[in-house]
Amino acid sequence: MSYQPPGTLYVVATPIGNLEDLTPRAARILESVSRIAAEDTRHSARLLSHLGISKPLLSLHEHNEAHRVDTLDAYLEAGESIALISDAGTPLISDPGFILVRALRSRNRHIVPIPGVCALTAALSGAGLPTDRFIFAGFLPAKAGARRQVLENYQKREETLVFYESPHRITATLEALAEQMPERPIVLARELTKTFETFLQGVASELLDILAADPNQARGEFVVMIGGAPAAREVREQSIDDETLLKTLLDEGVGVKQGAAIAANLLGGRKKEWYARLQMMKPDS
Ligand code: SAM
């Protein structure tokens, strides 16, 4: 167990459903700090009461975060340690905390993350989509036009695209995806770590059919994961049509024999057949 000086801010991940997911270290830190800054104090009071922890709570949410910086900094200066928690999962990940952590870091305060659950990584770890590179886009804009624009910006990205979604907008989002990314494999992770945890997969139109057939599937909290765009190289290879390639070879002055070898290499098939086609296409000299 490493020594942490007094006056430390701990950024503590809490469960996103299943209370067993709170780590022993997180429980120990919550037990040891002088006070806890929480997104919604009433909500967090329930978690703390479940853990048998009673600490002074201080609200820190998107509307008061900037005003809380000096207060919390003064506690740290006085040698108190503080835990920052959000309603669920890892603070700062689509949750309050960024303004506080940025300000305290610029003041050289000691900040220690206590890692744990995050819906993003939990969803990716169970989805079966590539995870070597991914883009996390947070929440999509609520308005249709802005949402369309954001999706368009990501259209050509090869990374798996991940965003958070609420039950009110899941259908509208899938409709937008059906229009803008109709062929892409999508995985919906719903109610992670909870009783009705579900992974649904398919292209957007298939997922819309599933949700229409069973409205329960549209309830709860979602992580939406979309397979990336095919690699640019694949697109280029797929988009070369035979005729264009052969014509380009001839236009560039490549001989029939060499052209047949190049075509067989790039497009497959037998050199003899490409040779015959190039012979037929060759302008009379
Ligand atoms: N800080 C949190 C984290 O670490 O994942 C995210 C907070 S964000 C305000 C809430 C969103 O996270 C939800 O709308 C949903 O998209 C996602 N989320 C949170 N809990 C979830 C769960 N149990 N199952 C699926 N998605 C969840």
Side-chain angles (χ1 to χ4, degrees), residues 2-285:
S2 64
Y3 166 77
Q4 302 298 351
T8 295
L9 175 79
Y10 295 94
V11 183
V12 182
T14 58
I16 57 171
N18 190 329
L19 295 182
E20 285 180 56
D21 290 336
L22 189 93
T23 67
R25 186 178 178 211
R28 179 175 58 75
I29 294 293
L30 292 172
E31 180 63 68
S32 72
V33 292
S34 313
R35 53 187 85 234
I36 297 172
E39 184 181 5
D40 176 342
T41 52
R42 272 196 303 181
H43 178 96
S44 295
R46 288 198 287 277
L47 171 71
L48 295 169
S49 136
H50 168 84
L51 298 169
I53 294 173
S54 169
K55 293 281 163 176
L57 288 172
L58 181 103
S59 73
L60 183 130
H61 44 71
E62 58 175 328
H63 304 296
N64 72 357
E65 185 172 353
H67 300 293
R68 286 291 196 217
V69 170
D70 288 340
T71 313
L72 288 168
D73 195 30
Y75 288 134
L76 297 172
E77 178 66 25
E80 286 192 17
S81 283
I82 297 169
L84 169 68
I85 58 177
S86 60
D87 286 354
T90 303
L92 280 82
I93 307 301
S94 293
D95 264 342
F98 161 63
I99 292 172
L100 176 71
V101 170
R102 179 180 57 179
L104 294 181
R105 204 156 270 302
S106 76
R107 297 177 193 188
N108 287 321
R109 289 289 175 211
H110 197 59
I111 300 168
V112 177
I114 308 294
V117 189
C118 179
L120 163 69
T121 48
L124 278 171
S125 68
L129 287 170
T131 48
D132 51 339
R133 290 181 302 146
F134 61 85
I135 298 174
F136 175 54
F139 284 94
L140 288 179
K143 294 210 169 120
R147 187 170 49 222
R148 184 170 302 114
Q149 185 59 56
V150 169
L151 288 177
E152 203 173 307
N153 293 345
Y154 289 124
Q155 197 113 31
K156 292 196 176 133
R157 298 298 299 252
E158 292 167 20
E159 300 91 337
T160 296
L161 173 62
V162 189
F163 50 86
Y164 284 163
E165 195 51 280
S166 76
H168 322 292
R169 290 207 291 264
I170 189 69
T171 304
T173 294
L174 286 172
E175 281 166 359
L177 287 168
E179 200 182 299
Q180 292 180 257
M181 302 184 183
E183 313 286 342
R184 298 286 186 84
I186 298 177
V187 180
L188 295 184
R190 184 175 77 91
E191 294 289 85
L192 289 163
T193 79
K194 302 185 195 176
T195 314
F196 295 107
E197 176 178 287
T198 318
F199 280 81
L200 294 177
Q201 57 191 335
V203 296
S205 59
E206 290 168 337
L207 294 172
L208 280 166
D209 289 346
I210 295 173
L211 266 52
D214 178 4
N216 280 332
Q217 296 294 340
R219 299 220 171 100
E221 302 191 273
F222 289 90
V223 181
V224 181
M225 293 161 283
I226 304 161
R233 207 169 61 85
E234 280 171 41
V235 171
R236 237 188 351 262
E237 281 175 5
Q238 281 164 7
S239 66
I240 294 177
D241 72 281
D242 306 2
E243 204 71 15
T244 312
L245 178 74
L246 299 183
K247 188 169 178 316
T248 309
L249 289 171
L250 292 174
D251 290 349
E252 292 299 323
V254 176
V256 170
K257 192 169 165 215
Q258 199 189 354
I262 293 171
N265 210 343
L266 287 177
L267 303 171
R270 298 171 59 184
K271 262 194 253 174
K272 221 168 93 183
E273 280 154 22
W274 292 117
Y275 186 93
R277 277 183 69 178
L278 280 162
Q279 274 294 7
M280 275 168 50
M281 286 173 70
K282 201 170 76 157
D284 295 333
S285 44

